[in-house]
Amino acid sequence: MNPIKYLQENGVKRAMKVLYDYKLELLLEKIVFVFTKHKNLNDVIMIESHNDFDCNGGAFYNYLIKNGYNKKYKIVWLVRKKAKSKFPTNVETVPLYGPSLKKAYYVCTAKYFTYDCENVQKKRKDQCMVYCSHGAGGLKNAKGKLHVPPYVDYILVQSKAYAPIQANQWSVTYPDKRIIAIGYPAQDIFFDESKSDEIRKITSRKYKKVILWMPTFRKGGGYHRNDSRKEQKLGIPLIETQEQYLKLNNYLAENDVFLIIKIHPKQDLENLKIKDESNIKVLTGETVKKLEIDNYALMKCADALISDYSGAAYEYLQLDRPIGYVLDDVNDYIAGFVVEDIHTLIAGAEIYNFEQLESFIVNVVSENDSFKERREKIRNYIYEYHDANSSKRLAELLGL
């Protein structure tokens, strides 16, 4: 990297942050490695997830605790934010970013690593690292933004059939013996027979139907990143004015529908101009943490999902319920897509305008599910398993 060019393009403040968050950490790890490289590896599992304690890392962690693996293994979380102080026995946290002597020691001596988004570089060949990813693919192109390093030992995918698309997104040449189709731990909850009512964390009212809207981020997700040319005037797709937003709320009220709009945790909130209404609840990354909401438990409670190019729509496929795809900026979405014809992977209603959004809501209320056959076909193409055993398969893969 040319440091002068980097400073010119990103500024001193950004350069100093990168230096502190990444470069000093690597230097510290090199020093610690000198003293630990000949020692036996420790029974330590290091875990990183999308937004701390969530997604595949969070689900795998819950499985490990539930089944008592923390009695033998120390579980160390790599966290973005300071975590709660009380954990089960043999569990602790270290910062994902910035130098930490404790983190450096674990990175140099841990036997196992799993990560959903950002990995620390393992130091020895006898360490085992698994990339779990933090979503089920989706329509949006992430090639060039996601990269699976060669030192990663296993790469989890949903199915052998869908693996070539995912490999291409991660800049991995397919076939690759590291790619393992065992499913994603986070989706185990969809098939868990235990009941959860995540909606009660949001509202005490009962509604005829609950619809979850999970738009992917357009502006956000990285330094100066914006994936769409179309302006989101209220900070969400499709809805362009406050009058239209209130009209949507009235329409929901008339049909006794509760709409939860969950803003992507990577979305830039600077332009978010919507608020809670009688039949709409707006959730951000912060409110999700405050209410202790699990995204997958929330999906499980919803009667239908609205999404777009996001992996959320493909997670929700496992529940075999109606999905609507908001595609109003499809011609302005500069990030591009994973396939040339996105319609081959769309398993529900395509929504380009407000009237089609209303139509989708009506069909959910009336239980007019005209996409069921198509949804099942795409579901079986994308997923090898429809069960609650992905965490178990991951534990077996690691030989725990």
Side-chain angles (χ1 to χ4, degrees), residues 106-158:
Y106 284 135
V107 169
C108 292
T109 61
K111 282 185 180 178
Y112 308 104
F113 302 82
T114 76
Y115 77 100
D116 292 0
C117 289
E118 297 185 53
N119 69 301
V120 292
Q121 184 172 341
K122 73 173 193 175
K123 304 304 177 186
R124 293 163 52 168
K125 289 183 178 180
D126 51 346
Q127 293 175 311
C128 182
M129 177 169 281
V130 182
Y131 176 51
C132 302
S133 90
H134 70 271
L139 294 173
K140 64 180 180 181
N141 178 40
K143 190 170 183 179
K145 299 180 179 72
L146 298 174
H147 176 69
V148 180
Y151 53 79
V152 171
D153 298 282
Y154 298 107
I155 304 168
L156 301 193
V157 297
Q158 300 106 297

Side-chain angles (χ1 to χ4, degrees), residues 48-49 70 81 84 104 145 149 171 215 224 255 321 337:
E48 180 273 346
S49 73
N70 57 316
K81 298 179 181 178
K84 58 186 179 182
K145 299 180 179 72
S171 299
H224 289 168
N255 288 278
R321 298 173 191 167
F337 303 104

Side-chain angles (χ1 to χ4, degrees), residues 23 50 80 108 139 148 151 188 219 311 367-368 383 389 392:
K23 302 302 181 183
H50 188 230
R80 291 161 175 77
C108 292
L139 294 173
V148 180
Y151 53 79
D188 287 352
K219 185 179 180 182
E367 299 185 355
N368 177 24
Y383 291 102
N389 297 318
K392 180 182 178 182

Side-chain angles (χ1 to χ4, degrees), residues 96-109:
L96 175 62
Y97 306 122
S100 161
L101 184 60
K102 184 185 287 188
K103 176 177 67 172
Y105 175 75
Y106 284 135
V107 169
C108 292
T109 61

Side-chain angles (χ1 to χ4, degrees), residues 30-247:
K30 286 182 179 179
I31 295 171
V32 173
F33 182 66
V34 171
F35 297 95
T36 60
K37 61 183 177 180
H38 297 302
K39 293 181 178 292
N40 291 332
L41 294 176
N42 296 324
D43 287 330
V44 173
I45 305 169
M46 298 196 77
I47 301 177
E48 180 273 346
S49 73
H50 188 230
N51 200 25
D52 296 346
F53 302 95
D54 64 350
C55 294
N56 289 310
F60 185 53
Y61 166 73
N62 291 336
Y63 173 84
L64 294 175
I65 298 300
K66 182 179 178 181
N67 290 279
Y69 282 92
N70 57 316
K71 293 175 183 177
K72 177 180 179 181
Y73 299 94
K74 179 181 282 293
I75 301 173
V76 180
W77 269 97
L78 290 151
V79 295
R80 291 161 175 77
K81 298 179 181 178
K82 188 176 180 180
K84 58 186 179 182
S85 56
K86 291 185 179 180
F87 291 99
T89 303
N90 231 11
V91 177
E92 62 180 284
T93 66
V94 294
L96 175 62
Y97 306 122
S100 161
L101 184 60
K102 184 185 287 188
K103 176 177 67 172
Y105 175 75
Y106 284 135
V107 169
C108 292
T109 61
K111 282 185 180 178
Y112 308 104
F113 302 82
T114 76
Y115 77 100
D116 292 0
C117 289
E118 297 185 53
N119 69 301
V120 292
Q121 184 172 341
K122 73 173 193 175
K123 304 304 177 186
R124 293 163 52 168
K125 289 183 178 180
D126 51 346
Q127 293 175 311
C128 182
M129 177 169 281
V130 182
Y131 176 51
C132 302
S133 90
H134 70 271
L139 294 173
K140 64 180 180 181
N141 178 40
K143 190 170 183 179
K145 299 180 179 72
L146 298 174
H147 176 69
V148 180
Y151 53 79
V152 171
D153 298 282
Y154 298 107
I155 304 168
L156 301 193
V157 297
Q158 300 106 297
S159 73
K160 296 182 186 72
Y162 191 61
I165 290 177
Q166 290 181 284
N168 182 57
Q169 289 298 292
W170 300 325
S171 299
V172 172
T173 302
Y174 188 84
D176 188 311
K177 63 181 181 181
R178 298 178 299 163
I179 293 175
I180 308 292
I182 63 173
Y184 288 147
Q187 295 174 6
D188 287 352
I189 192 173
F190 293 156
F191 304 96
D192 190 330
E193 294 182 0
S194 62
K195 298 215 177 205
S196 64
D197 195 354
E198 213 71 359
I199 305 297
R200 297 283 73 79
K201 295 179 181 179
I202 300 170
T203 179
S204 58
R205 262 198 64 188
K206 292 281 188 181
Y207 295 86
K208 187 173 183 179
K209 296 290 181 182
V210 174
I211 299 176
L212 178 60
W213 188 354
M214 299 179 73
T216 192
F217 66 86
R218 267 71 171 177
K219 185 179 180 182
Y223 190 60
H224 289 168
R225 179 174 169 183
N226 191 346
D227 289 348
S228 179
R229 286 187 295 265
K230 186 170 184 179
E231 180 186 2
Q232 292 186 323
K233 296 178 181 177
L234 301 185
I236 58 171
L238 194 71
I239 310 298
E240 304 230 335
T241 65
Q242 290 291 348
E243 291 75 19
Q244 202 172 41
Y245 185 64
L246 293 175
K247 182 180 177 183

